[in-house]
Amino acid sequence: MSSPTATRDAAEDPGPHADPRIAEVLSRWWGFDTLRPLQADAIAAALAGRDSLVVMPTGGGKSLCYQVPPLVGETTDVVVSPLVALMKDQVDALEAIGYPAAALHGGMSPEERAAVRDRLAAGELRLLFTAPERLVNTGLLDLLARVGVKRFAIDEAHCISQWGHDFRPEYRQLALLRDRFPAASIHAFTATATPRVRDDIARQLALRSPATLIGTFDRPNLVYRVVPRADRVAQVLKILGRHRGEASIVYCISRKETERLAARLAAEGLLARPYHAGLDARERHATQEAFASETIDVVVATVAFGMGIDRSDVRLVLHTSLPKSLEAYQQETGRAGRDGLAAECVLLYSSADVFSWESLVRKSAAESELDAAEQEKLCAAQAEHLHAMRRYAQAARCRHAALSEYFGQAYPAASCGACDVCLGETNSLPDATVTAQKILSCVARVGERFGVRHVCEVLRGAKTEGVLRHGHDRLSTFGLLVNLEQRTAENLVHQLLDQGLLARTPGDRPVVTLNDKSWEVLRGTREVVLLEPRAGKARTTQADADDWEGVDRDLFERLRKWRRRVAEARGKPAWTILDDKALRAIARQKPASPAALLRCKGIGEKRLADFGTAILDLVVGKEAEP
Ligand code: ADP
Ligand code: ZN
């Protein structure tokens, strides 16, 4: 396989839009006027029948890469996808623009499946979506051969690799495609990018000198913030307050937390629901649908929520706990702002989460069937991921740069203008060294035999049962930080732990202890910098201001309401009707004629025919029929 960097092979690359039919198809069906550079390369490879491996971060626009070629060449292509929900979303979105696409999956009745096979046999379909096991286990292969399928797109191709983060054994069967369809080209798509996984995909699918196209990992429209966690609920409410009425995903580690927090948010009047793998399938489905159709704004979820959520206008992804790797963080935050408009990603950080993860990892390794040496290896690998995540959260440096570099790409700018660090939002605590000295001497006074909570109770002067039982209300450090809330105090202790200025014993009941650096602080030979546990005010980013530039907010809201009604009437996800970017374009340009409406990005011929009158009515302030 070729080098892991983007290969734009000058000799073979006909350049974007070499084929005039591409531009025509784009504007006619999607209302788009240009392809992104990597899309142009991927589509050129597909049209040339050359295998490809396309690595594009979430939101990069992978789907267009396999949706455009069959329209241009009038072929029937096959897309392999791991999840029914993903297929359904895509087919819905394609049907909304009149694109002849269908899916074959186990959730359909035999009659429905027969109807799709008929359309396939009649050559009516441009795209057929199916799952790997269905593709290889039925007479489907014969039918595809009869129809003369020449192209296979493998979505979420990392699922074929054991080294990927989401291995699915059934993907291995796709290896037979090369033998069964020697003349067809195979195109692998994924958002994860380690070189090892890329090589594995190419080998397993037996790709023939594939065009290797690797996108930029940076997502400039996302603003990243890391906020020291103090009062979780209050912080979540405050951050959600910046996104009233907008789509938000709030991630928690445990199922219980999702339910508790969702109930709290609902009690505050937010349209929020929990989501986790422990809920029954019907309930999970109902929540997904409600989110897709915009009847709820907030999903409070474990990481089980995500794959298959194609809603492109998610404006906030909020992690209330530390994810276990930067890969996971990149993927989960990747669900924000897929429409390219500004969106926010906030991580509430406490190093307490690192300890929880570590003990979880040890527990699950111990419960596995691995031998001791393999368990060790597993724990070590996980610990490395965890520490990369933790370094990201702690470092007072540009988040965009840190993420890009982790994924092997240098970040070009000195300041991104879209993270808490570059925006100057992080505040340092005044008198941090003195505060640290108070904390450390309290750790010494309790004999280095107590946990974070107890130390903080003593510092705050709390007469809890534990404090009184040990006579710690008589210590000189009792009440030294009487003005702090418990959570704030604990946050400061965790910052000291993060910086290695304090140590903590392993195990289930960890106690905090002093180390060499602690003594340097106590002796006054080391200065300490601590962040203010309450974050500074979030500023507006340039990207956000640009996205709203000239947009009539009232009209935008009216358009959204109308879209919701249309979505409900049709039983389709709202964003498949029209995404936020298109709505903002309309609310900015206020088109007065069908021709002017066509000039709005996102409006193609089909949408003009379906919604033209309604939209033009809304623009002039009339009520529109759904
Ligand atoms: P991915 O599958 O890589 O996560 P999608 O295919 O869902 O990304 O595309 C992300 C968003 O970008 C969608 O809202 C899509 O409509 C938009 N998009 C993709 N390509 C273009 C383009 N060439 N011009 C304008 N918008 C585009
Ligand atoms: Zn930055």
Side-chain angles (χ1 to χ4, degrees), residues 398-400 415-419 421-422:
C398 177
R399 315 280 178 204
H400 280 269
S415 160
C416 71
C419 79
V421 177
C422 294

Side-chain angles (χ1 to χ4, degrees), residues 35 70 86 106 126 157 169 211 225 229 264 273 302 313 317 328 363 378 421 429 500 522 535 544 612:
L35 282 174
L86 276 179
R126 292 285 85 103
R225 297 189 161 96
R229 189 170 73 223
R264 259 316 291 279
R273 272 201 222 159
T302 60
D313 64 344
V317 170
K363 214 164 110 198
L378 186 71
V421 177
L429 191 76
L522 283 168
D544 203 22

Side-chain angles (χ1 to χ4, degrees), residues 19-188:
D19 190 332
R21 289 174 302 175
I22 296 176
E24 193 204 308
V25 156
L26 260 190
S27 98
R28 176 166 157 225
W29 295 78
W30 282 274
F32 294 160
D33 40 44
T34 45
L35 282 174
R36 297 170 183 164
L38 226 56
Q39 287 177 325
D41 291 347
I43 290 169
L47 289 174
R50 178 177 175 191
D51 287 355
S52 62
L53 174 53
V54 181
V55 186
M56 249 188 227
T58 314
K62 282 181 284 297
S63 22
L64 220 52
C65 301
Y66 52 75
Q67 290 166 352
V68 168
L71 287 181
V72 172
E74 298 187 2
T75 53
T76 300
D77 294 2
V78 172
V79 181
V80 176
S81 178
L83 288 179
V84 173
L86 276 179
M87 291 182 221
K88 274 199 195 152
D89 276 358
Q90 289 238 5
V91 172
D92 281 349
L94 290 172
E95 280 177 347
I97 61 167
Y99 188 118
L104 275 179
H105 56 73
M108 297 162 70
S109 70
E111 293 76 35
E112 285 171 325
R113 286 202 295 265
V116 170
R117 280 165 189 271
D118 288 346
R119 289 175 70 196
L120 184 63
E124 281 171 27
L125 293 179
R126 292 285 85 103
L127 273 185
L128 175 76
F129 291 81
T130 193
E133 62 279 12
R134 184 156 294 273
L135 179 62
V136 300
N137 279 354
T138 62
L140 189 55
L141 287 175
D142 294 332
L143 179 53
L144 296 179
R146 278 206 305 283
V147 182
V149 168
K150 289 266 164 30
R151 253 189 311 263
F152 291 89
I154 317 297
D155 204 5
E156 313 288 349
H158 57 271
C159 292
I160 206 170
S161 172
Q162 254 172 326
W163 311 115
H165 60 279
D166 194 18
F167 175 52
R168 286 164 192 258
E170 63 275 18
Y171 257 65
R172 285 284 161 89
Q173 300 169 307
L174 295 173
L176 65 73
L177 285 179
R178 182 94 285 168
D179 292 335
R180 274 299 304 263
F181 296 86
S185 58
I186 299 179
H187 308 273

Side-chain angles (χ1 to χ4, degrees), residues 57-58 191-192 216-219 222 224 319 323 325-336 345 389 399 403-404 406-407:
T58 314
T192 45
T216 308
F217 275 83
D218 187 48
R219 297 278 312 277
L222 301 188
Y224 297 100
H319 283 80
S325 68
L326 276 172
E327 284 87 345
Y329 190 61
Q330 170 87 358
Q331 201 183 7
E332 284 145 27
T333 53
R335 290 169 190 138
C345 306
M389 187 66 234
R399 315 280 178 204
L403 280 169
S404 284
Y406 181 79
F407 291 104

Side-chain angles (χ1 to χ4, degrees), residues 226 322 347 349 351 354 387-397 399 421 494-500 531:
V226 181
L322 195 74
L347 168 61
Y349 172 67
S351 69
V354 177
H387 283 119
M389 187 66 234
R390 176 192 197 159
R391 277 193 301 277
Y392 167 85
Q394 281 177 255
R397 67 176 299 236
R399 315 280 178 204
V421 177
H494 283 295
Q495 289 192 50
L496 293 175
L497 285 163
D498 280 343
Q499 297 180 33
L531 294 178

